[in-house]
């Protein structure tokens, strides 16, 4: 499978975190929404890698801005509180 086990593990962990947050807070909670967006991003990356791998093309990862990293850290801190 393309994307390797690391990406597959990230997808599974994100899915579990989202399900746990939904069980705890309900589907309309902002934390569940953010986790859903994170899961979508990981799935899109996996899908992109799979397509490129099938075509035999090189996989190039997108660069993230410092602002995105700050937002991610804040999200991680929020999830630790959950």
């Amino acid at each position: 499978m393309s994307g390797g086990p690391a990406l597959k593990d990230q997808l599974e962990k994100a899915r579990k975190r989202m399900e746990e947050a939904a069980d705890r807070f309900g589907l309309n909670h902002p934390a569940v929404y953010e986790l859903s967006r994170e899961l979508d991003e990981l799935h899109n990356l996996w899908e992109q890698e799979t397509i490129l791998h099938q075509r035999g093309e090189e996989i190039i990862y997108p660069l993230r801005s410092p602002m995105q990293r700050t937002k991610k850290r804040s999200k991680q801190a929020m999830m630790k509180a959950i």
Side-chain angles (χ1 to χ4, degrees):
M1 172 188 286
S2 178
L7 183 55
K8 189 174 179 179
D9 289 344
Q10 285 181 331
L11 276 162
E12 187 61 24
K13 287 177 185 176
R15 184 189 63 79
K16 285 181 182 179
R17 285 194 320 265
M18 185 184 74
E19 287 179 351
E20 290 169 1
D23 287 344
R24 185 170 180 189
F25 300 114
L27 292 174
N28 294 323
H29 194 275
V32 176
Y33 177 74
E34 284 300 317
L35 288 168
S36 175
R37 287 179 51 146
E38 178 184 333
L39 185 59
D40 288 345
E41 288 177 17
L42 288 169
H43 183 265
N44 291 341
L45 180 60
W46 173 83
E47 189 174 50
Q48 194 175 42
E49 286 184 2
T50 301
I51 290 168
L52 291 175
H53 180 72
Q54 289 172 349
R55 292 181 185 166
E57 297 177 21
E58 182 180 353
I59 297 171
I60 300 174
Y61 293 95
L63 296 175
R64 297 190 181 264
S65 73
M67 188 60 140
Q68 288 173 316
R69 285 191 295 268
T70 302
K71 183 177 178 183
K72 186 173 183 175
R73 273 189 243 123
S74 298
K75 193 180 347 176
Q76 288 171 345
M78 177 182 67
M79 292 314 300
K80 284 182 182 178
I82 296 174

